[in-house]
Amino acid sequence: MAIRARRYADAKAQASSNTELLWWVFMRVSGLVMVFLVLGHIYMNFVLIDVSTINYTYVAERLSNTTWKIYDWLILVLAMLHGMNGLRYVMDDWIRNPARRFATKAVVYSLAVLVVIVGSFSLFNHDFSKDLKQAAQTQGSVKP
Amino acid sequence: MYRGREGQWAFFLHRISGIALLLWLLLHTLNISSAMWGPAVSNRLMLFFHVPIFQVGLLLVTAAALYHSFNGLRIIIMDFTGWGIKYQRQLWYGVIALCVLVAVPGLILTVPRIIHAATHGGAQ
Amino acid sequence: MQVTLKVMRHDPAKNAKPGWQTYSVEAEPMDRVLDLLHKVKWYQDSSLAFRRSCGHGICGSDAMVINGVNQLACKALVKNLGMLIQVEPLHGLPVEKDLIVNMEGFFAAYRSVKPYLINEEQPPERERLQSPEDRAVFDTSTKCILCAACTTSCPVFWVNGSYIGPAAIVQAHRFIFDSRDKGLRERMQALNASTGLWRCRTAYNCTEACPRGIPVTKAIEEVKRAMIYDRF
Amino acid sequence: MAHEHDVIVVGAGGSGLTSALYAANQGVNVAVVSKLYPTRSHTGAAQGGIGAALGNVEEDHWEWHMFDTIKGGDYLTDQDAAELFCKEVIDAVIELEHMGLPFDRLPSGKIAQRRFGGHTKEFGKAAVHRAAHAADRTGHMILQTLYQQCVKEGITFYNEYHVTDLILEGGVAQGLVAYELASGELHTFKAKAIVVASGGYGRAWKTTSNAYTLTGDMQAILYRKGIPLEDMEFYQFHPTGLFPLGILLTEGARGEGGILRNGSGERFMERYAPTIKDLAPRDMVARAMYMEVREGKGVGPRKDYVLLDLTHLPPETIHNKLPDIAEFAQIYLGVDPTKQPVPVMPTAHYAMGGIPTTVNGEVVTDGNNTVVKGLYAAGEVACVSLHGANRLGTNSLGDLVVFGRRAGVAAAKFAKDAEFYDFTSEVLGPSRERIEKILNAQGGPSVADMRAELQQTMQDRASVFRVESLLQEQTEVLKELFDKYEKVVVQDRGTKYNTELVEAIELGYLLEVSEATVHSCLNRRESRGAHAREDYPERNDKEWLKHTLVYKCPNRAVKFAYKEVVLGKFEPKARTY
Ligand SMILES: Cc1cc2nc3c(=O)[nH]c(=O)nc-3n(C[C@H](O)[C@H](O)[C@H](O)COP(=O)(O)OP(=O)(O)OC[C@H]3O[C@@H](n4cnc5c(N)ncnc54)[C@H](O)[C@@H]3O)c2cc1C
Ligand code: HEM
Ligand code: SF4
Ligand code: F3S
Ligand code: FES
């Protein structure tokens, strides 16, 4: 076949946006912030206490505290955005069939939105202090 | 198989650890959020996740988190400094060393706990 | 001495599946892999197909995977490779026959970055002036011979053939950092696309593979920075 | 498949790309047909520089350059071509800079220049800084820059199409036939004008700086069609080929101060060219090296090479100005030129001769400059004759852009007033027959064996020094090889990338150009420039100040005609340096 060396005439529509650049920067910024959040999270829940002792009470208590609410929500959102964009890279790379890629992305992104919603609800729309009281009444004390 | 060097393996590990973290993040969020449905549901789920195999998995995910964070920092350094690129190999070995450095005390701390939990049928 | 040369062969006309074929070749330590391929082609099995032209690493025809890494066959010496030498076609590009791969996609990516000086101003009567320091900034990227060793060593490119690839980015670097060029914004179109330079995961295989010693990853990172600083 | 373009350029080296670019600028439809991807062309191997009297480092004038070119060419240079060249190459270099070529720079920001063999000031007084360069990859940068401009202009490329025939009816070029490597298909190309720019034929010799693909294709194709080849006896052997591979180490190495030494460490060029010593023209240096070796003053166990000494240069000079050749020595010989001298011997390098053309690139068929309509040639394949009996270093790259441009512009202008000729796919016949004959042959000699024999015998009998008896023998060898070639066989009978078939076809071309060369060598009974006859050691202006035209005749015979040398400003004088 003859090759026509043309001016990059069909510069695709996508080309003129900075989306990719911004995501790239976001990956660094969010990563930087998360280093502290995630390592802190690990430290608190893995080193300070024995993970296998974590149970409802521990969680509920933690989730009643506004500071932790914000801390955890930040991790959730940043990690979700960061991880999902990372996964988008991976899916672009690994799933070469456009139809299949589209379908996978649709499922994955829906799942991600769902998880963020559930997570956010549990953090902000649920009054754990009430639960805790209830639990204390019905079960007596909640063993650590 | 292509005989890539440090950079290639750094990338493969970064990607795999990233995916692992994401997977764990999904499970973890759902797990923790289950508290919304009260202690019964929540504790059952958490107990389920406390079986030893998940505990070992959790160790791996933690290792992944360590590697991904440290290597993430390496990537950021390379992206914004000239020396980061020049010493990328050394930096990677630094990342591995840091991971080991943090992981060893971590393991010393957590492995006995896991064994204890496994042999005593859970923490409760 | 006698070396064993294993070549990944693929004859599209005969059998669909590529497979290894082994030859025993008389060789000197200072022989190039290209010499071995020629010995096979000329005296053992003349159907073996590969590209070559200059024979001394300047035309970029004969990049291939030699003992697991991308090299030019005319620059890879037997003494550095041992008694068993394995040769495969470049990864990530469609194999046409034996060691010959289809280069069209590679050159299309090259063209997409507008690899030519962009400066609409009327040039002066004599040469444009450029200080030796300004000239030095992009010196290494002018060495590129478009051999594709870098692009086809990139793990991202193997799985995602629409990635523009390091070679094209090196070409962009060659112009973006030329003090005479004014085309950064125009080149951004291709570089900024979802198949563009942000796909690079700093795997460094490209840098290791470049037979011209171009610090490819460094060039890529410099282009990334140039684009970010242009935007922020 | 059939294609049509106003102007078709054969070859995508420096000359072909320049022609294409300037033809396209004239507003005609241009295509380039090349058996290699453009950036694989051998122009990319040129190292040292492009000579132009820019005067950036020191005073310089185009007249001085012209004098050097003519004297370097041992007065066989056509002086009209030389004058025009030395003036236009200045603009050409500036234009390359405007296209973006990254020349090395002086602290003032101007293009840097270095000294080069045979380039002098004030008509031979001392070496002059004339070669504009981009490290030691000037050709690479020229090739890349020109290709970049072609990409910008959107010129059509047919890559990996091997031209097998040129359609020439009644003294008019009408089109081409080409074999597509990827598919094994033959294609016809109709053109109003054709520019031939397919490069040299160094592969006729065993030790050569030339690419495996430089096999004299278009010289041979036109020669077979009855078009003469001019000055084929003048083939340049470059003094500093890496021994024993033949890979070139640029003359720029000596331009930067490198010195040739024999077995006893003596700087022997002082004896042969007292004024400019190691920077004497190539023919003289190559002969001097051979003489040293012959007299037993060589180096090595067999005393069969000499040394290029760069060890006294500052290592930074070597690393900054000669990085590639330092690498060649390191890789291919394991020699670090900053510490050890490098083994070198002459290597087959450049064809001064080729398809005869006017200064506008029009191909001519006789001594009266009768033009073939619509056919142009430029670059190493052509003979304008700018280089005369010996080309000066850096004048070839200049030749590519100056005469490439002239040919391109002339072809485009011609095409504007011309019509396409009508021909059918019948023209494929001869090419198809040739290919099928090779593919169907049984039990004959192999391509590799025949080529090895050709290269060895050419090396032994028709290289730096020539003598009647050996040349005569070589004509017989060639006759035998032609006979054998009739039966040459290939193992690969496939259609996709049948590189063995291509090698077989190329071998046929090599035989033709070797024939033209050897007969021309035999015919010229004098020594001039690169043509050194041991039996006729003197230059003989009375009888031989003329260009040779060699024609192919039936039954493996040749005939000769001659063309006047265009004289002018500079009278032929004895050539000493
Ligand atoms: C190692 C080396 C170093 C040199 N250094 C210098 C230097 O420093 N200064 C200087 O002035 N000169 C130098 N020269 C000489 C100069 O580089 C060459 O003479 C010049 O590059 C030739 O250019 P070209 O365009 O004529 O042909 P090339 O660049 O050889 O291109 C030939 C083109 O023709 C095509 N072609 C050939 N046959 C066919 C066919 N049958 N069908 C289709 N296409 C075909 C090829 O694909 C190729 O694209 C050097 C030469 C060599 C070998
Ligand atoms: C803890 C701090 C973290 C840092 C410093 C960090 C850093 C980075 C960086 C810099 C990248 C971009 C890689 C590149 O462009 O080459 C990246 C990619 C990625 N990250 Fe993180 N990250 C962190 C946490 C996480 C978490 C918590 C997740 C999971 C939810 C995650 C998932 C991913 C994924 C999937 C990728 C894509 C990998 C790829 O494309 O190869 N990261 N990370
Ligand atoms: S950057 Fe290096 S490896 Fe890549 S194409 Fe250019 S020369 Fe080849
Ligand atoms: S190997 Fe690929 S990921 Fe980037 S650093 Fe090189 S292009
Ligand atoms: S043959 Fe030219 S690069 Fe190897």
Side-chain angles (χ1 to χ4, degrees):
Chain A
M1 252 294 293
I3 315 310
R4 199 160 160 80
R6 56 181 107 77
R7 286 166 181 270
Y8 192 60
D10 47 348
K12 297 174 193 123
Q14 53 165 347
S16 50
S17 88
N18 284 314
T19 330
E20 288 296 333
L21 184 155
L22 295 172
W23 272 118
W24 187 89
V25 174
F26 171 76
M27 290 301 269
R28 325 281 126 172
V29 173
S30 59
L32 216 53
V33 175
M34 278 195 298
V35 172
F36 301 101
L37 298 181
V38 169
L39 292 187
H41 187 79
I42 291 175
Y43 184 71
M44 283 182 290
N45 299 314
F46 219 126
V47 180
L48 288 187
I49 65 156
D50 178 350
V51 260
S52 51
T53 64
I54 290 179
N55 62 8
Y56 174 77
T57 318
Y58 175 78
V59 173
E61 271 171 7
R62 194 177 144 97
L63 293 190
S64 325
N65 180 316
T66 316
T67 315
W68 294 134
K69 273 185 205 252
I70 295 171
Y71 187 104
D72 286 359
W73 191 75
L74 243 150
I75 292 201
L76 175 65
V77 170
L78 281 181
M80 220 48 178
L81 282 173
H82 176 105
M84 275 301 150
N85 184 51
L87 193 62
R88 177 178 68 93
Y89 293 148
V90 176
M91 289 186 294
D92 279 346
D93 284 352
W94 289 356
I95 311 171
R96 297 310 299 156
N97 177 320
R100 207 163 339 131
R101 185 165 61 215
F102 180 79
T104 319
K105 280 186 181 173
V107 172
V108 166
Y109 295 159
S110 314
L111 199 70
V113 171
L114 195 81
V115 170
V116 172
I117 290 174
V118 170
S120 306
F121 257 96
S122 72
L123 281 170
F124 295 115
N125 258 8
H126 197 81
D127 187 354
F128 278 101
S129 41
K130 209 170 73 195
D131 281 9
L132 274 172
K133 250 179 260 151
Q134 247 172 31
Q137 278 161 14
T138 50
Q139 283 196 352
S141 69
V142 180
K143 276 189 292 170
Chain B
M1 189 63 195
Y2 195 85
R3 257 190 327 123
R5 297 190 52 175
E6 291 83 351
Q8 178 186 312
W9 301 114
F11 157 58
F12 286 167
L13 273 180
H14 195 81
R15 178 163 275 193
I16 292 166
S17 59
I19 297 170
L21 282 175
L22 185 62
L23 211 71
W24 174 77
L25 179 71
L26 296 179
L27 293 176
H28 182 68
T29 313
L30 292 177
N31 179 13
I32 298 297
S33 305
S34 67
M36 281 196 298
W37 286 281
V41 184
S42 170
N43 274 333
R44 195 150 357 116
L45 247 174
M46 282 187 221
L47 268 179
F48 173 67
F49 282 115
H50 285 172
V51 292
I53 178 115
F54 279 107
Q55 294 289 315
V56 175
L58 189 59
L59 278 184
L60 286 178
V61 169
T62 314
L66 287 178
Y67 173 78
H68 194 93
S69 326
F70 294 142
N71 193 54
L73 290 176
R74 167 178 166 269
I75 294 174
I76 295 169
I77 291 171
M78 295 186 311
D79 286 335
F80 292 99
T81 70
W83 62 267
I85 296 165
K86 198 160 165 204
Y87 296 110
Q88 59 97 1
R89 236 175 251 149
Q90 287 86 334
L91 277 174
W92 192 61
Y93 290 120
V95 166
I96 302 288
L98 256 179
C99 288
V100 173
L101 218 67
V102 177
V104 168
L107 284 174
I108 293 173
L109 198 70
T110 51
V111 169
R113 288 179 188 165
I114 293 174
I115 294 174
H116 179 85
T119 46
H120 292 76
Q124 294 190 321
Chain C
M1 65 187 187
Q2 210 69 21
V3 299
T4 307
L5 185 69
K6 267 177 82 179
V7 185
M8 181 61 87
R9 306 257 342 234
H10 174 54
D11 184 349
K14 284 203 195 107
N15 52 331
K17 270 243 164 81
W20 290 104
Q21 195 158 336
T22 308
Y23 304 92
S24 178
V25 190
E26 181 60 37
E28 301 291 327
M30 292 304 280
D31 272 352
R32 305 163 275 189
V33 170
L34 182 62
D35 295 323
L36 303 191
L37 292 172
H38 273 146
K39 283 179 195 176
V40 169
K41 182 170 183 60
W42 293 344
Y43 304 111
Q44 294 188 30
D45 181 349
S46 48
S47 64
L48 179 65
F50 52 91
R51 289 192 181 98
R52 89 281 184 261
S53 184
C54 71
H56 61 279
I58 203 70
C59 74
S61 300
D62 58 349
M64 49 187 80
V65 188
I66 299 172
N67 282 3
V69 283
N70 282 0
Q71 310 184 45
L72 295 175
C74 61
K75 272 184 111 170
L77 298 192
V78 170
K79 68 168 178 167
N80 301 329
L81 293 168
M83 305 297 283
L84 172 67
I85 299 172
Q86 294 193 22
V87 184
E88 302 160 67
L90 294 173
H91 299 327
L93 294 172
V95 177
E96 294 282 345
K97 181 177 175 185
D98 297 342
L99 301 170
I100 296 180
V101 293
N102 187 318
M103 300 289 291
E104 288 311 322
F106 175 80
F107 278 104
Y110 162 78
R111 290 193 293 269
S112 76
V113 299
K114 308 197 176 197
Y116 42 81
L117 193 83
I118 298 176
N119 185 340
E120 300 304 328
E121 285 164 32
Q122 182 67 29
E125 192 114 313
R126 294 280 295 196
E127 66 260 47
R128 292 193 192 87
L129 298 183
Q130 181 172 50
S131 70
E133 294 73 34
D134 283 346
R135 167 66 179 74
V137 178
F138 63 100
D139 185 62
T140 51
S141 13
T142 66
K143 289 184 171 181
C144 174
I145 53 176
L146 298 170
C147 67
C150 54
T151 297
T152 58
S153 75
C154 175
V156 177
F157 184 77
W158 297 332
V159 289
N160 183 351
S162 47
Y163 170 41
I164 195 167
I169 304 172
V170 166
Q171 289 297 325
H173 181 275
R174 182 249 167 274
F175 290 102
I176 290 172
F177 287 87
D178 187 330
S179 57
R180 301 168 294 174
D181 187 85
K182 304 273 181 278
L184 172 66
R185 290 285 171 87
E186 279 181 60
R187 286 191 188 91
M188 265 199 196
Q189 291 202 323
L191 294 173
N192 228 358
S194 67
T195 51
L197 98 155
W198 307 112
R199 287 284 137 164
C200 165
R201 289 279 93 88
T202 48
Y204 289 91
N205 279 6
C206 52
T207 303
E208 312 275 358
C210 179
R212 302 285 291 149
I214 301 168
V216 181
T217 310
K218 181 162 170 261
I220 296 173
E221 294 288 281
E222 285 174 2
V223 175
K224 284 181 190 165
R225 263 176 261 158
M227 290 178 59
I228 289 174
Y229 298 155
D230 184 71
R231 288 290 136 170
F232 285 99
Chain D
M1 262 220 273
H3 313 267
E4 247 182 44
H5 298 276
D6 294 336
V7 174
I8 296 184
V9 180
V10 182
S15 54
L17 296 178
T18 313
S19 295
L21 212 51
Y22 284 95
N25 283 348
Q26 301 285 316
V28 296
N29 176 346
V30 180
V32 179
V33 181
S34 170
K35 69 178 177 181
L36 303 171
Y37 274 94
T39 53
R40 316 285 184 236
S41 301
H42 208 56
T43 295
Q47 302 166 349
I50 173 165
L54 300 173
N56 281 357
V57 178
E58 55 188 320
E59 190 185 351
D60 201 1
H61 299 285
W62 64 263
E63 285 98 337
W64 297 354
H65 188 185
M66 179 180 169
F67 170 78
D68 292 336
T69 302
I70 291 162
K71 183 177 172 193
D74 221 349
Y75 297 93
L76 197 71
T77 298
D78 282 339
Q79 300 202 5
D80 56 342
E83 172 162 351
L84 192 150
F85 169 78
C86 294
K87 287 180 184 161
E88 289 187 9
V89 73
I90 299 174
D91 294 336
V93 168
I94 300 295
E95 203 151 328
L96 285 171
E97 195 283 331
H98 290 167
M99 287 178 187
L101 198 142
F103 283 111
D104 287 351
R105 301 291 174 151
L106 298 167
S108 64
K110 289 185 184 172
I111 296 172
Q113 294 182 282
R114 61 158 66 116
R115 288 182 296 207
F116 233 81
H119 289 280
T120 68
K121 58 173 126 192
E122 296 171 58
F123 311 107
K125 288 245 172 72
V128 72
H129 289 77
R130 187 176 289 147
H133 56 90
D136 52 358
R137 48 177 189 283
T138 316
H140 165 77
M141 288 329 316
I142 289 185
L143 185 66
Q144 295 279 328
T145 303
L146 290 169
Y147 183 57
Q148 290 157 5
Q149 293 299 311
C150 289
V151 169
K152 187 176 179 190
E153 293 303 323
I155 287 166
T156 307
F157 281 90
Y158 295 89
N159 296 328
E160 301 196 322
Y161 278 61
H162 191 112
V163 172
T164 53
D165 207 356
L166 187 126
I167 297 149
L168 194 66
E169 289 292 336
V172 186
Q174 306 182 344
L176 295 161
V177 178
Y179 174 84
E180 184 186 6
L181 266 79
S183 66
E185 236 184 284
L186 282 170
H187 296 247
T188 56
F189 290 85
K190 274 185 196 170
K192 296 174 181 169
I194 295 171
V195 183
V196 173
S198 59
Y201 64 96
R203 280 285 149 182
W205 287 269
K206 189 172 172 222
T207 306
T208 177
S209 68
N210 281 200
Y212 290 99
T213 44
L214 286 176
T215 47
D217 302 13
M218 292 312 288
Q219 289 94 322
I221 288 171
L222 293 184
Y223 181 57
R224 282 178 188 155
K225 296 255 158 201
I227 288 177
L229 296 177
E230 182 175 346
D231 289 344
M232 292 296 276
E233 61 273 39
F234 298 106
Y235 196 90
Q236 179 169 79
F237 286 75
H238 192 292
T240 51
L242 206 60
F243 181 83
L245 290 168
I247 294 170
L248 193 83
L249 301 182
T250 175
E251 200 165 289
R254 279 170 287 139
E256 296 293 345
I259 289 170
L260 290 166
R261 297 189 189 281
N262 62 17
S264 50
E266 182 204 3
R267 183 180 191 178
F268 58 87
M269 280 313 295
E270 281 176 334
R271 276 186 275 123
Y272 297 87
T275 352
I276 53 176
K277 306 186 180 87
D278 296 283
L279 285 174
R282 293 176 177 173
D283 55 331
M284 300 179 93
V285 183
R287 276 196 298 276
M289 289 164 74
Y290 260 92
M291 301 289 275
E292 293 297 302
V293 167
R294 269 192 196 180
E295 289 167 18
K297 295 191 204 150
V299 189
R302 299 220 295 268
K303 292 188 182 296
D304 51 356
Y305 58 87
V306 300
L307 294 171
L308 174 64
D309 186 1
L310 301 171
T311 54
H312 55 288
L313 300 180
E316 311 85 71
T317 306
I318 297 179
H319 289 133
N320 297 334
K321 299 199 166 163
L322 307 163
D324 280 4
I325 70 150
E327 189 185 296
F328 295 153
Q330 186 74 60
I331 292 185
Y332 297 111
L333 293 184
V335 169
D336 175 358
T338 60
K339 301 207 176 75
Q340 284 163 278
V342 188
V344 289
M345 253 335 244
T347 180
H349 185 58
Y350 184 86
M352 272 73 73
I355 303 165
T357 67
T358 66
V359 290
N360 290 322
E362 300 149 297
V363 173
V364 301
T365 57
D366 55 30
N368 303 324
N369 283 338
T370 307
V371 168
V372 182
K373 282 217 186 77
L375 188 59
Y376 300 79
E380 192 172 336
V381 74
C383 177
V384 222
S385 137
L386 168 67
H387 309 302
N390 171 58
R391 169 176 75 88
L392 286 192
T394 80
N395 268 1
S396 168
L397 290 176
D399 177 357
L400 305 183
V401 280
V402 168
F403 292 103
R405 172 167 65 179
R406 289 182 149 261
V409 170
K413 286 194 172 140
F414 179 87
K416 277 185 190 162
D417 304 323
E419 296 290 326
F420 284 113
Y421 291 88
D422 229 14
F423 57 73
T424 63
S425 59
E426 268 171 40
V427 298
L428 296 177
S431 295
R432 178 164 290 142
E433 272 164 37
R434 193 177 292 275
I435 288 168
E436 273 170 10
K437 187 170 158 201
I438 297 174
L439 288 180
N440 294 327
Q442 300 283 349
S446 83
V447 179
D449 290 335
M450 276 197 64
R451 187 178 42 216
E453 188 181 346
L454 172 72
Q455 291 169 339
Q456 184 67 56
T457 53
M458 287 295 285
Q459 188 79 31
D460 293 344
R461 300 194 179 89
S463 55
V464 173
F465 285 106
R466 288 131 188 211
V467 65
E468 173 120 14
S469 54
L470 291 179
L471 290 169
Q472 198 72 54
E473 266 175 49
Q474 186 61 9
T475 61
E476 297 305 318
V477 171
L478 286 172
K479 276 188 189 144
E480 277 166 33
L481 285 172
F482 269 115
D483 286 337
K484 274 203 217 163
Y485 184 66
E486 290 295 309
K487 298 189 244 40
V488 74
V489 292
V490 294
Q491 309 304 318
D492 191 350
R493 314 253 147 127
T495 47
K496 248 188 145 186
Y497 283 101
N498 190 336
T499 49
E500 191 187 11
L501 173 68
V502 170
E503 286 189 21
I505 298 173
E506 288 173 342
L507 173 62
Y509 300 144
L510 280 179
L511 287 173
E512 304 285 0
V513 289
S514 299
E515 177 188 86
T517 303
V518 173
H519 281 280
S520 300
C521 287
L522 196 54
N523 182 54
R524 184 176 283 270
R525 292 187 173 78
E526 66 157 351
S527 289
R528 181 189 295 273
H531 178 60
R533 285 284 296 256
E534 294 188 88
D535 37 1
Y536 301 93
E538 297 302 319
R539 192 173 86 191
N540 178 351
D541 284 340
K542 239 197 345 297
E543 284 171 76
W544 288 105
L545 189 59
K546 57 188 179 188
H547 300 291
T548 314
L549 294 176
V550 59
Y551 295 81
K552 193 168 180 64
C553 298
N555 301 325
R556 291 179 195 136
V558 299
K559 74 171 190 228
F560 290 98
Y562 300 94
K563 211 172 122 178
E564 289 301 308
V565 175
V566 181
L567 295 172
K569 273 201 169 80
F570 300 104
E571 283 294 305
K573 273 196 265 184
R575 184 160 160 264
T576 52
Y577 285 91

